[in-house]
Amino acid sequence: MNQIKKLLIIGFVWPEPNSSAAGGRMMQLISIFKENGFEITFASAALDSDFMVDLSELGVAKKSIELNAVSFDDFVTELNPDIVLFDRFMIEEQFGWRVTEKCPKAIRILDTEDLHCLRTARQKAFKENRKFEITDLFSEEVAKREIASILRCDLSLIISEFEMNVLTDHFRINTDLLFYLPFLVDKMSKENLLKLPSFQDRRNFVFIGNFLHEPNWNTVQYLKEAIWPSIRKEFPEAVLEVYGAYPSQKVLQLHQPKSGFYIKGRAEDANEVVEKARVVLAPIRFGAGLKGKLLEAMQCGTPSVTTTIGSEAMHSNLPWNGFIEDDVFEFAKKAAVLYQDENLWKQAQKNGISIINECYQKSDYSDRLMPIVDSLLLDSESHRLHNFMGNLLQHHAYRSTMYMSKWIEAKNKS
């Protein structure tokens, strides 16, 4: 009988698939490993939340852990996982050296979620009112930390082809250390559209996104101040409903029913909200990774209008399921036309199905990932031998992280 393989996931937060695309992404990763026979433990130092998924229902063990505490060493030694998956580079920084020290044979996998250094550099360029350049990444402190984390791990899961190219072409990361893994969904057919609300049965524009994510908050500000007034000129009866988890008071203050701008707060069922809407608006001005809200729109048969950043790496060379527009006035015009032209709207729906089936099929990627994982489990020594920079960083960089953590640990005891 084959020995059961153990996977430890160390989460930045507990998964909230109804609150963010990151939560949905984590659920997809859990699903892949569960389907391949792994016994999974999910650990996090985050506080429980009202909206976290019930891991026990998925057959996943839940473990609360502490930062900068020797108790984690005892826990991971006893668990002795075959694989440890770090949720974002900050978690690898915090716990990676402990895993390496206590479970040196465990395969270390990093799920980047998106390239934080790319998002940070773009946000900085936006706030400085200048064009982002790839070379901006090289001066970002977070880039040094994130790339070091990627090099220290045996494999990093990259969600965007654009980010794959950034890592291989500009940071010169060996492709053996990277695996492209986008969002993963089931195949759709045109018959699936018949089960969804029709053009006539849908109402209003919608935006949906977690407000703890800075690009989402900026997008809603942009909608309120620039995009929405232009849409109302084109289409005076238009209504926009803005949904998102964790809205702050500054978000709630944008609620203005007289102008058709409604702040709705958390959506209990995001799919239901998007399925009832006729068009998704997402004028995203900075960010990284893939936009879960736009893939969700395609799954719900809801065309969208977004920006170049919003659509980045999401549709290969296929036509978008709506429009991609960076100019404020053109964005507004396209949104109004898409909302009112049924034939154009239906074609956009079909474009979305083509994108889903071409770019996001779960089996295509999980079937490629698991052989790589199995190969690492069989012969990690050879893989690590060829990752000299990773070995170098293990030797030097971890020392500073380790001693800082031990200092905090000792300070907390005193």
Side-chain angles (χ1 to χ4, degrees):
M1 183 181 292
N2 291 331
Q3 185 178 359
I4 294 176
K5 295 171 287 188
K6 295 181 184 178
L7 168 67
L8 169 63
I9 301 174
I10 309 179
F12 182 70
V13 294
W14 300 107
E16 290 187 26
N18 292 328
S19 298
S20 69
R25 162 75 161 190
M26 181 52 69
M27 298 305 292
Q28 291 169 7
L29 292 175
I30 288 173
S31 173
I32 289 173
F33 283 96
K34 281 292 287 183
E35 289 170 6
N36 283 275
F38 279 81
E39 182 181 281
I40 303 176
T41 300
F42 194 105
S44 179
L47 296 174
D48 287 4
S49 79
D50 293 335
F51 306 103
M52 59 191 280
V53 73
D54 186 347
L55 291 166
S56 65
E57 289 188 352
L58 304 172
V60 174
K62 176 179 180 287
K63 174 69 177 179
S64 292
I65 54 177
E66 293 182 75
L67 298 173
N68 306 305
V70 72
S71 58
F72 177 83
D73 300 351
D74 298 333
F75 157 67
V76 78
T77 300
E78 183 179 350
L79 182 65
N80 193 24
D82 299 285
I83 298 177
V84 178
L85 190 152
F86 303 101
D87 172 25
R88 289 166 256 206
F89 81 91
M90 303 85 77
I91 293 299
E92 187 276 337
E93 282 184 329
Q94 180 65 231
F95 294 99
W97 68 269
R98 293 182 181 273
V99 170
T100 300
E101 189 175 82
K102 301 301 178 182
C103 303
K105 292 184 178 180
I107 302 304
R108 301 181 296 272
I109 299 178
L110 172 66
D111 183 37
T112 57
E113 292 288 354
D114 61 29
L115 277 185
H116 290 63
C117 61
L118 179 61
R119 176 161 29 108
T120 301
R122 280 177 166 167
Q123 183 173 340
K124 186 179 291 186
F126 171 79
K127 291 190 173 180
E128 294 173 357
N129 198 28
R130 59 180 176 80
K131 184 181 177 183
F132 165 76
E133 303 287 349
I134 283 289
T135 51
D136 292 343
L137 293 172
F138 301 140
S139 59
E140 280 296 324
E141 179 66 25
V142 71
K144 299 177 179 69
R145 293 170 55 199
E146 191 164 26
I147 298 304
S149 181
I150 288 171
L151 287 169
R152 285 192 296 261
C153 287
D154 298 307
L155 188 69
S156 290
L157 308 179
I158 311 301
I159 203 167
S160 156
E161 286 186 316
F162 178 83
E163 294 178 5
M164 283 287 285
N165 292 335
V166 167
L167 291 170
T168 56
D169 296 349
H170 299 282
F171 287 109
R172 309 298 185 194
I173 304 293
N174 190 321
T175 54
D176 289 344
L177 299 177
L178 308 173
F179 184 81
Y180 170 57
L181 190 72
F183 291 125
L184 306 174
V185 299
D186 294 326
K187 191 176 181 67
M188 287 188 71
S189 66
K190 291 176 183 177
E191 286 69 36
N192 291 121
L193 295 178
L194 300 176
K195 301 175 185 177
L196 297 171
S198 67
F199 176 85
Q200 289 84 3
D201 291 336
R202 295 173 181 246
R203 295 286 181 276
N204 304 334
F205 294 95
V206 72
F207 171 84
I208 189 163
N210 187 323
F211 288 110
L212 296 178
H213 191 52
E214 181 65 23
N216 286 335
W217 161 234
N218 181 270
T219 297
V220 173
Q221 285 181 296
Y222 188 40
L223 275 166
K224 182 67 166 63
E225 296 165 6
I227 301 284
W228 191 242
S230 297
I231 289 177
R232 290 278 284 193
K233 283 182 182 178
E234 295 286 332
F235 182 26
E237 306 87 45
V239 170
L240 172 62
E241 296 179 327
V242 176
Y243 288 86
Y246 304 106
S248 64
Q249 189 57 40
K250 63 184 179 181
V251 174
L252 298 174
Q253 286 175 350
L254 298 180
H255 183 69
Q256 195 173 50
K258 286 185 178 180
S259 65
F261 198 95
Y262 292 82
I263 302 295
K264 294 286 191 174
R266 175 183 289 273
E268 291 206 13
D269 187 331
N271 280 340
E272 184 179 340
V273 165
V274 178
E275 281 183 7
K276 288 181 177 178
R278 191 175 288 179
V279 174
V280 166
L281 299 180
I284 300 163
R285 293 189 285 183
F286 57 84
L290 301 181
K291 312 304 178 287
K293 61 178 67 62
L294 296 175
L295 179 59
E296 182 178 61
M298 297 178 206
Q299 290 178 280
C300 293
T302 311
S304 64
V305 186
T306 189
T307 56
T308 302
I309 288 288
S311 66
E312 181 180 86
M314 286 206 65
H315 61 118
S316 187
N317 295 316
L318 299 171
W320 189 248
N321 73 317
F323 292 105
I324 300 168
E325 188 56 66
D326 294 317
D327 179 80
V328 170
F329 300 109
E330 284 301 313
F331 190 104
K333 285 181 181 178
K334 297 286 176 55
V337 168
L338 185 58
Y339 190 96
Q340 297 173 92
D341 187 327
E342 184 172 359
N343 290 331
L344 186 65
W345 187 90
K346 286 182 175 178
Q347 183 56 54
Q349 258 195 342
K350 293 174 184 176
N351 291 350
I353 288 180
S354 297
I355 293 169
I356 285 172
N357 293 340
E358 181 73 23
C359 304
Y360 299 99
Q361 285 309 290
K362 181 178 177 180
S363 59
D364 290 350
Y365 295 98
S366 59
D367 288 352
R368 293 179 212 162
L369 173 61
M370 294 319 297
I372 294 173
V373 170
D374 289 339
S375 176
L376 287 171
L377 287 168
L378 285 171
D379 189 9
S380 60
E381 286 187 17
S382 175
H383 178 82
R384 290 171 178 174
L385 184 64
H386 290 87
N387 180 15
F388 180 78
M389 289 304 297
N391 290 327
L392 187 68
L393 288 167
Q394 289 279 10
H395 183 70
H396 290 289
Y398 266 6
R399 298 299 161 213
S400 60
T401 309
M402 180 180 74
Y403 287 119
M404 173 60 77
S405 183
K406 286 184 177 292
W407 179 80
I408 294 171
E409 184 182 324
K411 188 170 180 288
N412 290 339
K413 288 179 180 178
S414 62

